[in-house]
Amino acid sequence: MAVAAAPGALGALQAGRARLVAACCTRLGPGWRLSGSWAAGRLGPALGAHSWMPAAGGPAQRRGYSSEGKTEDELRVRHLEEENRGIVVLGINRAYGKNSLSKSLIKMLSKAVDALKSDKKVRTIIIRSEVPGIFCAANLPVPTIAAIDGLALGGGLELALACDIRVAASSAKMGLVETKLAIIPGGGGTQRLPRAIGMSLAKELIFSARVLDGQEAKAVGLISHVLEQNPEGDAAYRKALDLAREFLPQGPVAMRVAKLAINQGMEVDLVTGLAIEEACYAQTISTKDRLEGLLAFKEKRPPRFKGE
């Protein structure tokens, strides 16, 4: 009866949504973020405020942040070329520390993330381990894929949970095991795991500190794809690369805005989420890429998107 008694409710709702869109997203800027409460980082207090940010009092260390992939680097940033142009691989290479997230490594990741955020040539980012048998982004505007070919325990799994998509080898091992040390997951694990697999199962895994293999992780929805490990030990990375290649032909502006709409919309009710979608959709209409997509469709040829 409440609906029948309020014939102007739909109009009021539409007007309210229009005001919401105007107030919260007059224009998506270079960072592709909505203003207001939606603009807050979704990394969670621990990961956002501590693990990813450079230490106060000085810039992040530059050691290890290199696109040349020096053997001593703890973080290798590789911009792939030719048919893989637009794909960036962040390779964690801290063998002596079993890829544990040290302060220096976190600074390097933060530095790399900040640089990649503003690089419009970047289409997809793969995070992998370059240490055999161990995995161990981030609030990035482009799709991110975690390739888990070995161990991803504690902070390693929290890093993977911060990615959009996770793929793993069947022999991989992953879990939030912090309760064994009388602490809790403090890098976003208590927030992202329930969002990924549901509250009840997330509690069970965290309370028990249970470790899952790739098949078990796929069964509970923790990862999207599981592969039999190959002799080279990089089955998950190869699958991640295949996925990244699927993303490459799509409009880069649309990819960024779609990710924003999904991430922000999942944090609010459906009506507000639809308003966010409307605001994000509006940002794609005036782009040169949209016109190029229409022209390419008419001319029956692959589009040549420029991210504009």
Side-chain angles (χ1 to χ4, degrees):
M1 293 300 294
V3 175
L10 180 58
L13 174 59
Q14 292 173 334
R17 287 180 63 194
R19 289 194 298 271
L20 187 63
V21 170
C24 296
C25 188
T26 55
R27 177 70 183 173
L28 290 177
W32 303 101
R33 299 171 62 189
L34 294 172
S35 61
S37 60
W38 294 334
R42 297 297 178 185
L43 291 178
L47 193 59
H50 302 292
S51 298
W52 289 101
M53 299 304 294
Q61 296 179 11
R62 293 192 60 82
R63 175 180 175 270
Y65 175 53
S66 168
S67 59
E68 298 178 356
K70 297 179 181 179
T71 57
E72 70 272 21
D73 290 345
E74 292 187 359
L75 179 66
R76 297 174 179 176
V77 181
R78 291 191 296 129
H79 294 254
L80 304 188
E81 298 294 338
E82 299 178 353
E83 72 273 12
N84 296 323
R85 186 180 300 274
I87 300 174
V88 176
V89 180
L90 297 183
I92 300 174
N93 185 46
R94 194 168 181 262
Y96 63 91
K98 295 186 177 180
N99 278 3
S100 59
L101 298 179
S102 66
K103 290 182 179 180
S104 62
L105 179 56
I106 288 168
K107 289 179 180 178
M108 294 176 212
L109 282 165
S110 179
K111 186 78 172 180
V113 165
D114 286 344
L116 294 172
K117 278 183 181 179
S118 58
D119 189 343
K120 292 186 178 180
K121 295 180 181 179
V122 176
R123 303 292 182 85
T124 300
I125 296 169
I126 298 174
I127 300 178
R128 66 173 301 204
S129 169
E130 297 191 1
V131 179
I134 300 173
F135 171 69
C136 201
N139 190 18
L140 286 157
V142 297
T144 55
I145 307 171
I148 308 171
D149 276 305
L151 297 177
L153 304 177
L157 181 54
E158 288 177 304
L159 178 63
L161 284 167
C163 295
D164 300 310
I165 301 166
R166 290 167 292 282
V167 299
S170 58
S171 58
K173 302 292 183 183
M174 60 202 84
L176 297 179
V177 297
E178 285 86 347
T179 53
K180 285 187 176 181
L181 302 176
I183 58 175
I184 70 170
T190 63
Q191 303 306 304
R192 289 196 177 89
L193 187 62
R195 285 168 166 80
I197 65 174
M199 183 182 297
S200 180
L201 188 52
K203 287 179 178 179
E204 180 181 330
L205 295 182
I206 291 174
F207 294 167
S208 65
R210 188 180 305 157
V211 175
L212 306 178
D213 62 25
Q215 294 290 352
E216 293 168 329
K218 176 66 167 62
V220 301
L222 180 55
I223 61 175
S224 301
H225 301 276
V226 59
L227 302 309
E228 289 298 321
Q229 188 56 282
N230 58 30
E232 294 77 18
D234 65 351
Y237 170 67
R238 293 190 183 191
K239 179 62 178 179
L241 194 56
D242 287 342
L243 290 173
R245 288 175 181 143
E246 283 191 65
F247 302 162
L248 279 180
Q250 320 314 327
V253 173
M255 295 286 282
R256 289 175 176 237
V257 176
K259 174 172 176 173
L260 175 68
I262 295 169
N263 286 354
Q264 302 290 354
M266 288 298 293
E267 300 296 326
V268 297
D269 62 88
L270 179 59
V271 172
T272 307
L274 290 171
I276 293 173
E277 179 186 76
E278 183 179 345
C280 289
Y281 177 78
Q283 304 310 308
T284 66
I285 296 300
S286 60
T287 64
K288 294 179 180 178
D289 279 354
R290 186 185 74 90
L291 298 177
E292 165 61 16
L294 291 174
L295 183 61
F297 179 79
K298 180 180 179 180
E299 297 176 352
K300 298 182 180 180
R301 60 169 175 80
R304 295 182 288 270
F305 295 127
K306 297 182 180 179
E308 301 175 350

